[in-house]
Amino acid sequence: MSIWAGLVAAFGTVGMVIAGWFAARATRAAAAATAEATAAAAQAQAAPAQRAADLSVLQATVERVDKENGELRTRQSRLESILRAFSLSADRWRRQMEQAGIEPEPPHPLVEEYNRTGV
């Protein structure tokens, strides 16, 4: 019986070593899975904050562009008004010169185009 006892002890020892190896492997796999889950949870928690930051930057940009557009439209409208007023004044001066018998210089081609099209 001592042979059987020796064989059982030997197989028991080999079994314990194999079981230990499987346990170590499972522990490493569990640690890796836990690390991945922790990283995923951290990223999921950070995503709404990042989106909120992105949204605030986008809103600030839109507000700035809207303000600049408003300023440019106002400026363009004012320049168009000045151009119309100057064009009317120059036309009046041209007519006065013709009435006085003075032949004015021909207008610049861009002025002729503006008088013709209004643009």
Side-chain angles (χ1 to χ4, degrees), residues 96-103:
Q96 288 174 350
M97 288 176 70
E98 287 174 350
Q99 287 173 355
I102 304 170
E103 185 63 33

Side-chain angles (χ1 to χ4, degrees), residues 5-95:
L7 283 173
V8 168
F11 280 125
T13 303
V14 170
M16 290 297 287
V17 169
I18 291 173
W21 180 74
F22 279 116
R25 195 170 138 194
T27 302
R28 280 195 308 267
T34 302
E36 284 181 29
T38 303
Q43 187 177 12
Q45 288 177 348
Q50 183 62 40
R51 285 189 180 146
D54 291 346
L55 180 60
S56 68
V57 168
L58 179 62
Q59 286 173 333
T61 302
V62 167
E63 289 171 7
R64 180 184 54 81
V65 168
D66 282 347
K67 181 181 175 191
E68 289 175 2
N69 269 349
E71 292 170 357
L72 288 172
R73 285 183 182 143
T74 301
R75 190 172 180 186
Q76 181 179 359
S77 176
R78 179 70 178 143
L79 285 171
E80 288 173 352
S81 297
I82 290 170
L83 178 61
R84 277 191 298 276
F86 182 77
S87 178
L88 290 172
S89 296
D91 188 51
R92 189 177 66 242
W93 296 331
R94 182 191 54 80
R95 276 187 262 125

